[in-house]
Structure formats: structure tokens, C-alpha cells
Amino acid sequence: MKVVVNSLFIVMLMALFPAMAGAQQLFGDEENCLMCHKHRRMARIDEKGERRNYYLREHAFGASIHGKVPCRGCHTSIKELPHKDVKPVDCTVECHLKAPFSRERFSHKWAVKLFKESVHAPKPDEPEWAVKSKPDCKYCHYEPSYKRPPGLPSQAYERCKNCHQEEEVARALEHVTHRLRVKTSRSPLEIVELCSKNCHEDRSLMEKFKVNPKAPVAVETYKETLHYRVNQFGFGKGADCIDCHAPLTFHDIRKSTDPQSHLYKDVRYKACRQEGCHPEATQKIAAIDTHIAKGKGLNPALHYAELVMLAITVGTLIALISLTTLESFARWRNRDARILRWKRRPQPLPVEEIKGVISEVKTEVKDDGKK
Amino acid sequence: MMEKNDKAIKYLGKIKNLHRYVDMNPKGDYKRYSVHIRITHFLTILTFVVAISTGLPIYFHNADWARAVNAAMGGIEITRIIHRVNAVTFILNMVYHLIVILAGTVYKIMRREFDYRRTMIPGLKDMADALDDMLYFLGFRDSRPRMDKFGYKQKFHYFAIGWGNSWLVISGLCFWVPHIMVQVLPYPEVTFNFLRLMHAEESILATLVIVFWHLVNVHIAPGRFPMQWLFLTGRIARDYQLEEHFLEYERLVKSGEAECEEYKLIKKALETKEVNEG
């Protein structure tokens, strides 16, 4: 009731300022929703005591990918004005846009269908904690800055104008070529952060899901790879999470043991072979573990190899230090060397030893003579 | 000359710890290394220093010091390029050395001059020498063992480097040309990541050997500091030769290439009062 009264009050307030109410048509707002929603302070405290903001930045939203969709294209539960509480948006709804060369209205339902088959969709028999920790559409598609990818070269639009006078055609072209120009608006590092933060980097959570023994360390092991380092240092494009786990449609991330997965052992090399990656990749190279798991349980061979190498290194270090220390002290003590090299002088002759040698050689000579 | 040497040879090896009493030329007295070995050694120094100073900042790329080094080189991508150019030089140097060793051996065999005792081939004598040396250092012997042209230290070091370098080249290629290496290596899914691990481990091991064995033995140990000019002139100082390569000295004296130091010492001693009185 409170909401209705509030909304009514605002509508009446707007009526007093007709100039403001005539909003600029930055996006498909035929029903003039902006009359109310363009006001920055349009907000309320909801039943849970949280502040809900209903202000819409028309410039930003108008420039976004959904800028041409009428409000009620998504917010379908609104039937009257002023409206009551709205239901959360269902992305599978058929909005008012009609895809060219198609009789269907546009909908995200195909993407949602793929997503529902993926590992990230909640399953009916799953406990509540599991459902809660899984992402919904907006978890990944939340884009508060409404960043847009770089546009097409201006020549592309100039050619459109040969037949189409309206600027909207150029915009449609930009829209449909969006995914050809960039795979996603997020940078590889942003993708990694999106998947890691509060989710895949949380070891205990991943262990609870029991995907496979390597899953809890997936982020750590990825950050050891050259793929990540190339992204980290920004000298080229290294594979991020979705490049390999969802190379084509993004939504169909499956377990690698699932034959339909892009990373199933027999077809994995195709993911490596993507354009701009490793066109020469073969089954053999794809068989090599990318997330190099270390640790006794995960990769015993590598674990023990590392231990052996550590033992050899430490052993060599101890042996060499003790040998050279022993030799240095002994050379010093035995008068083999006491001084710097450039100050070296021969030691005094060992008179007694030389006397002995002379007499020994003389007897030898005498012995030879006897023979 | 031969007659004189015949007379002198009788005294060969009669004076213990001869190296203490002889004089030496800082530029070197006895021929030891050919120009090829000196070039190889020089290239080894160069490639080793560059390999370590670019490899460590690549491996520890997240450490603050590594970031500074990488930034100084113009970014980690430049450090990688330097590391790989250096790797090519390193491999060519190894090939050069193998050719020199093989060609030199064939040449010596053809001239019937080949003597395995003057080579790096390890034998039981080296183990005995190492033991005797330890006993001398501990005070149980009164002189060092008589070692050949290459003592147990040189042989250990040589094979340690040969072994380490081979691993480094193979494992380094796994980073550089993985698609070729998977075709060459047996069981790449097992060996590949192991080799990649080995690259860092082996290089750290090699660095330790260089620092605690070569650097100490050749530059820091008493009487060795700071260095001799052997690496430039190819000639070894007399005290070195007599102390650590006595058998090679003996060989040179017997062939008439070097004078007998014992004979010289005794002649010098006979001129002094004390010996004459006796």
C-alpha cells in the first residue's frame, strides 16, 4: 500500500513539472517510465530494511546492449500504472524485439537452456547451500558501467547508408557484430576474477561440491600457468577460464568427464586449436595437464619428483659447502697457501728433505752401477 | 737436453709438496687449454650469467625484486626474448664443444697420441684421489694425491654441467616449442610437466654448483684468490699444476716439454751453506 501511495505522490509531483516529464527519447521508452525513474532519489526501504534504488541512468542504460528494449519487454509483470511490486526479471522471456529474418521474438531462452544443462545450474536434488552458491544470469552478466566494445570502422557504416538512411541500421550492425569483435566485454583478468572471487578460489566450498580432487585448487594451478602469466603481464592474450571451459557459447560449462564437454579428453584439442591460440595443437598436446596439480594426493609422481630434486639440491649444497670449507681450512693450515695469489712467494727450501733426496738418489746411482 | 733431462728425471717426484717451494709465472707456465676450450669457457660464462639473470626474474616474476629487474629489461616479454636468444647461444656452444672434443679425440687417435688418462673419462683412481684428498685435508696424509690432467674435481664439475645442461636444454624446449616436444618425448602427458619442473630445479642446482664449487675452488679458496689467467692464456701456473695435476707435470718433464723442478730446487739448495755442509 505504501508503495502505491508513494508512487502516486511522485506522479502527482511530476504533473507539476511538465517540462521535466517530457524525457528525451534516449531509449525505447514509449510508455514514459522515465517520468518517474529518472529521479535520482527514487528509492524506498523494503520489507527487509534494505534500501532499494529505482533510479535509472538513462544515458548509460540507453547506450547499453538492452537500450532499445522497452522496459516492459523484461519487466513483464507490470500491467498497470502506477505499478505494484515487480517480480524479478526472467531472462527467458520473449521481449519485444524481433530478430531480423525471423518470425520469433527475441529471447535469451536458448542461452538459458544451455545454461540449465551446465554444471552451474541448480539441480532439483541439491541442498540449499549448493543452490545458493551457484551463479544466476546476473552474477556474470552484471555490468554496472555498461561498457561497450570498440565500434566498427566508420567505412562499415558509410556502406550501410547506401541503402539504409536510418542510423538505427548501423546500430543494428554494431549489435549483431558485437560478439564477432569481442568475445566478452570483460578482460581475461576480469573473467578470472569473476570465476575466482567468492567461488572457485574458495577451497572449502569447492571441496563441498566434490567435483573432482583437482577442482579446489583450479585457481591456484591456473595462476601457475603461462596462460595466466601472459594475461597478468599483458603481453598478449592468454587463455582465461571461459576460453577453454566454454569456447563457443559460454553457457555450456560441463564436467570434463562429460562427453558433451568441450574439454572431454577426445575433443579437448579442438579447444586448444581455437583461432589465435594453438592451431597446431594435437591430441598429444591436449593430453598434457594444464592445471598442473601438485601434492601427494593429486599428482604423486610430480610430488615425489619434486621431493627428490629438493633432497638432491639440499644434499649438494651441504656436501659442497662442507667440502670447500674443509679444503680451505686445510690449505691454510697445511701451509699450501697463506696469502693472496698476487703476493705468493715460494716457501723456504726444505733442507732436510733435500738432503735425504740427494743421498737416496746417490745410493740409487750406486746400486745401478753395481748391477 | 735429453741427457740433462735423463739426469734430472731421477729426482722427479722425490720432494713432497713440491708446489710450496717453486716459483710461478702469473701468466701461466704449462700449456693446458687450447683456444677452442677457452672460447667455450668464455661463452659458458656469458650464457650462464645471462641465463641466470634473466631466468630467475622470469621464474620469481611475482617477487618485488623480479618486477624491478623485468622492468629494467623493458618488461617480462623482453626478458623472455633475451633468455631465448641466450638459450640458442648456449646450445650452439654445447654443440661447438662436442665437435671440438670429438674432432680432437679423432685427431689424437690418428696421430697415436691419445691417452685416456689425460681425458675427462672418470675412473676408479678419481674415487681414490678424492678419498686421499679428504684424508689429507683432515690431517691423515702429509701430501695431496698425485692427480692427472683432470682431477676428480674437474671431472665432477664437467659431468655435473653436462648432465644439468642437457636437462636444461630438453626442458627449456618444452616451454619454447611444446608442439614439437610432445611429438618427440615419450609419454608426454607424464614427462612434460615433470620436465618443466626440472627446468627451474636444475638451473638452481647448477647455480649452487657454480657458486659453491667453481667459485670457491677457483676464486675464493686460500691461495686461489682472486684468480689465475689460465682462462685467457691457456697456460696453467706452476704451483697449480704441481699441486693438483702432478702426473701431467711428470708427463711434460718426461717428454722434454718442461724442466724438472726438483732438479732445479736441488741445484739451488746445493749452492746454500747448510746442504753443502751436510
Side-chain angles (χ1 to χ4, degrees):
Chain A
M1 192 58 207
K2 198 175 156 194
V3 188
V4 180
V5 173
N6 279 353
S7 311
L8 259 175
F9 171 72
I10 291 162
V11 171
M12 284 160 72
L13 202 68
M14 288 307 96
L16 294 173
F17 302 98
M20 279 170 79
Q24 281 173 287
Q25 288 289 302
L26 274 168
F27 65 101
D29 184 23
E30 285 162 4
E31 294 169 334
N32 205 9
C33 300
L34 269 185
M35 188 170 80
C36 302
H37 288 279
K38 73 177 179 184
H39 292 283
R40 280 166 191 259
R41 303 222 173 159
M42 182 147 185
R44 70 172 176 117
I45 309 294
D46 71 2
E47 290 72 19
K48 290 177 192 162
E50 281 173 23
R51 185 192 149 98
R52 307 287 299 266
N53 206 342
Y54 300 115
Y55 162 59
L56 183 78
R57 285 171 12 201
E58 52 184 293
H59 294 274
F61 184 74
S64 81
I65 205 80
H66 292 125
K68 289 290 171 225
V69 184
C71 300
R72 289 208 295 145
C74 300
H75 299 280
T76 48
S77 61
I78 299 173
K79 304 284 185 206
E80 59 196 351
L81 275 176
H83 61 83
K84 298 196 173 103
D85 277 5
V86 293
K87 285 180 193 158
V89 169
D90 176 2
C91 299
T92 60
V93 79
E94 291 177 343
C95 63
H96 290 191
L97 291 180
K98 225 177 225 179
F101 317 112
S102 158
R103 289 182 196 88
E104 289 172 275
R105 278 182 183 164
F106 182 80
S107 168
H108 290 297
K109 64 186 172 193
W110 304 112
V112 171
K113 186 172 171 276
L114 275 179
F115 177 77
K116 286 259 164 75
E117 291 167 3
S118 79
V119 287
H120 287 125
K123 304 285 176 298
D125 53 337
E126 266 180 341
E128 206 191 328
W129 65 263
V131 176
K132 263 191 174 175
S133 55
K134 283 185 167 177
D136 54 10
C137 305
K138 274 208 296 186
Y139 186 81
C140 301
H141 292 281
Y142 178 62
E143 235 266 86
S145 64
Y146 295 114
K147 240 187 315 187
R148 290 183 67 82
L152 288 165
S154 55
Q155 298 99 302
Y157 302 124
E158 290 303 316
R159 299 198 67 185
C160 298
K161 283 183 190 167
N162 283 339
C163 309
H164 306 277
Q165 296 303 311
E166 277 182 70
E167 225 174 79
E168 289 305 304
V169 174
R171 201 185 149 119
L173 178 70
E174 195 168 284
H175 173 79
V176 297
T177 57
H178 178 178
R179 288 283 181 251
L180 298 178
R181 279 172 283 134
V182 287
K183 203 164 176 182
T184 130
S185 311
R186 283 187 168 85
S187 72
L189 286 183
E190 285 171 327
I191 296 278
V192 175
E193 201 197 343
L194 177 73
C195 301
S196 317
K197 211 173 178 182
N198 306 323
C199 205
H200 281 274
E201 70 180 5
D202 183 349
R203 264 195 190 211
S204 54
L205 179 66
M206 288 300 119
E207 272 160 12
K208 274 195 330 201
F209 272 111
K210 291 184 181 132
V211 180
N212 66 48
K214 274 174 66 187
V217 291
V219 175
E220 284 166 55
T221 49
Y222 168 70
K223 288 191 173 176
E224 289 282 307
T225 62
L226 209 61
H227 287 153
Y228 175 69
R229 289 171 196 177
V230 168
N231 289 327
Q232 188 193 2
F233 290 100
F235 58 92
K237 164 79 178 77
D240 56 40
C241 312
I242 54 172
D243 278 331
C244 305
H245 288 274
L248 299 172
T249 53
F250 289 15
H251 296 99
D252 55 345
I253 297 175
R254 292 163 187 269
K255 285 187 180 186
S256 59
T257 46
D258 180 344
Q260 276 181 284
S261 165
H262 294 286
L263 293 183
Y264 187 63
K265 58 184 192 302
D266 295 342
V267 294
R268 189 178 295 170
Y269 72 100
K270 288 183 188 164
C272 309
R273 269 189 184 177
Q274 285 176 77
E275 212 182 317
C277 294
H278 307 283
E280 72 287 336
T282 54
Q283 291 269 23
K284 267 187 172 176
I285 206 165
I288 292 164
D289 192 2
T290 317
H291 291 263
I292 308 167
K294 287 177 188 171
K296 209 171 162 182
L298 297 176
N299 199 337
L302 209 58
H303 176 73
Y304 288 112
E306 212 168 6
L307 278 186
V308 168
M309 281 308 294
L310 185 70
I312 291 175
T313 310
V314 173
T316 312
L317 191 61
I318 293 171
L320 292 186
I321 290 179
S322 35
L323 278 178
T324 46
T325 313
L326 176 68
E327 180 173 341
S328 298
F329 277 113
R331 284 168 59 79
W332 196 268
R333 187 191 61 219
N334 295 352
R335 295 165 55 81
D336 283 323
R338 279 186 177 277
I339 39 172
L340 297 180
R341 191 143 184 82
W342 60 70
K343 285 187 178 170
R344 183 187 178 279
R345 298 283 177 274
Q347 291 178 25
L349 295 175
V351 176
E352 290 308 310
E353 205 182 333
I354 286 180
K355 279 181 188 173
V357 171
I358 293 171
S359 56
E360 191 189 327
V361 172
K362 273 179 184 165
T363 49
E364 265 180 33
V365 174
K366 279 172 193 168
D367 289 348
D368 288 347
K370 279 174 190 171
K371 280 170 195 169
Chain B
M1 184 71 189
M2 267 322 278
E3 201 185 322
K4 187 186 157 195
N5 252 2
D6 271 347
K7 197 176 164 191
I9 279 169
K10 290 200 178 85
Y11 295 97
L12 197 62
K14 297 280 184 195
I15 300 174
K16 271 180 191 159
N17 295 315
L18 182 65
H19 63 274
R20 292 175 188 167
Y21 316 116
V22 295
D23 210 345
M24 61 94 182
N25 178 359
K27 289 176 190 165
D29 295 288
Y30 305 112
K31 200 166 171 269
R32 183 167 170 88
Y33 291 133
S34 75
V35 68
H36 299 294
I37 301 295
R38 277 176 271 158
I39 292 171
T40 302
H41 177 247
F42 186 76
L43 285 174
T44 308
I45 301 175
L46 189 78
T47 50
F48 198 82
V49 169
V50 176
I52 292 174
S53 51
T54 54
L56 288 178
I58 293 172
Y59 187 64
F60 295 104
H61 55 276
N62 278 329
D64 286 342
W65 64 266
R67 282 174 200 273
V69 173
N70 284 328
M73 299 219 192
I76 195 169
E77 65 271 34
I78 307 294
T79 318
R80 290 174 80 212
I81 293 170
I82 299 172
H83 195 77
R84 287 176 181 193
V85 170
N86 185 64
V88 174
T89 324
F90 186 93
I91 294 168
L92 289 179
N93 189 25
M94 280 177 83
V95 174
Y96 173 46
H97 181 64
L98 287 177
I99 292 172
V100 167
I101 292 297
L102 281 175
T105 307
V106 170
Y107 179 73
K108 278 178 191 163
I109 288 172
M110 279 165 66
R111 293 187 54 171
R112 300 183 186 282
E113 279 176 2
F114 182 76
D115 184 351
Y116 81 92
R117 288 168 302 183
R118 294 186 72 222
T119 66
M120 279 285 181
I121 301 168
L124 282 177
K125 184 179 183 306
D126 297 302
M127 287 176 71
D129 284 349
L131 192 67
D132 280 345
D133 225 9
M134 289 306 114
L135 290 171
Y136 168 74
F137 292 143
L138 288 168
F140 298 113
R141 293 271 191 281
D142 51 7
S143 66
R144 293 189 69 174
R146 291 183 168 174
M147 290 178 271
D148 224 309
K149 184 173 179 183
F150 299 107
Y152 70 93
K153 278 184 194 174
Q154 280 89 25
K155 290 181 185 178
F156 171 79
H157 200 143
Y158 186 77
F159 285 105
I161 285 192
W163 166 260
N165 285 5
S166 312
W167 278 113
L168 284 173
V169 169
I170 296 170
S171 56
L173 288 172
C174 288
F175 284 102
W176 195 352
V177 281
H179 52 287
I180 296 174
M181 289 310 280
V182 287
Q183 305 297 331
V184 179
L185 287 173
Y187 305 108
E189 65 275 16
V190 181
T191 51
F192 209 76
N193 285 332
F194 169 71
L195 280 171
R196 286 180 162 209
L197 174 80
M198 287 291 277
H199 195 73
E201 301 276 350
E202 268 299 334
S203 57
I204 288 168
L205 193 60
T207 314
L208 291 178
V209 171
I210 289 289
V211 171
F212 288 103
W213 192 247
H214 185 77
L215 210 68
V216 174
N217 272 325
V218 179
H219 297 284
I220 294 175
R224 306 291 196 225
F225 184 80
M227 67 207 286
Q228 56 169 335
W229 298 111
L230 170 63
F231 78 105
L232 283 179
T233 60
R235 302 182 86 85
I236 186 168
R238 186 168 286 126
D239 60 324
Y240 253 91
Q241 180 88 311
L242 295 181
E243 186 181 349
E244 298 213 320
H245 312 291
F246 194 85
L247 297 179
E248 176 73 1
Y249 156 73
E250 270 191 355
R251 200 172 285 125
L252 290 176
V253 173
K254 282 176 184 165
S255 69
E257 281 174 61
E259 286 181 71
C260 179
E261 292 302 321
E262 288 93 336
Y263 186 65
K264 271 163 75 181
L265 273 189
I266 286 166
K267 274 211 296 188
K268 200 171 153 192
L270 284 171
E271 288 162 14
T272 61
K273 258 185 190 173
E274 294 164 74
V275 179
N276 276 336
E277 279 166 9

